[in-house]
Amino acid sequence: VQLQASGGGLVQAGGSLRLSCAASGRTFSRYAMGWFRQAPGKEREFVATVNWSGSSTYYADSVEGRFTISRGTSKNTMYLQMNSLKAEDTAVYYCAARTSGLYSASVARYDYWGQGTLVTVSS
């Protein structure tokens, strides 16, 4: 069972990045998934989550209107389109999956985690 996050990098403030998360080892098509991030010296925090079908999403206030979470056709992939990036978005971004089909903003409710991808936004 593996989640692989990719797409991070260095971008200027106001720019965009698209993160991807690929699940392998089992089918995640019935699982809710989410994105979290962790900045240096801070706790891991919620960014966005999507239910198993992709029909329902929920965002942290700090990214609402700038980020969009979505699932691929196979439901074993997930994306995070990040626009209008700010310096405070700099962090390691993690994708996660939970065996429930309902989305959640709680770190503790996720069962599988990817290794993280670094996003650096220069001001």
Side-chain angles (χ1 to χ4, degrees):
V1 177
Q2 188 176 16
L3 294 175
Q4 182 74 37
S6 62
L10 174 64
V11 63
Q12 288 187 333
S16 299
L17 279 176
R18 188 192 196 205
L19 304 184
S20 299
C21 177
S24 61
R26 67 185 301 159
T27 180
F28 284 78
S29 60
R30 293 291 182 176
Y31 292 359
M33 299 183 75
W35 287 99
F36 295 79
R37 66 187 181 187
Q38 188 166 17
K42 295 187 176 181
E43 293 187 352
R44 192 168 299 188
E45 66 174 9
F46 165 72
V47 175
T49 182
V50 60
N51 72 338
W52 72 273
S53 67
S55 62
S56 295
T57 59
Y58 180 65
Y59 298 90
D61 289 344
S62 59
V63 307
E64 178 81 52
R66 299 188 298 123
F67 291 10
T68 303
I69 189 172
S70 62
R71 301 190 71 144
T73 303
S74 70
K75 302 295 187 289
N76 274 356
T77 54
M78 177 178 64
Y79 305 99
L80 185 68
Q81 178 66 43
M82 305 186 295
N83 299 328
S84 302
L85 282 161
K86 305 175 181 180
E88 50 263 44
D89 295 318
T90 295
V92 176
Y93 283 70
Y94 297 90
C95 61
R98 60 187 306 249
T99 55
S100 169
L102 302 177
Y103 66 58
S104 174
S106 172
V107 170
R109 293 185 181 274
Y110 284 80
D111 305 293
Y112 303 100
W113 290 86
Q115 86 293 351
T117 184
L118 176 62
V119 172
T120 303
V121 184
S122 62
S123 58

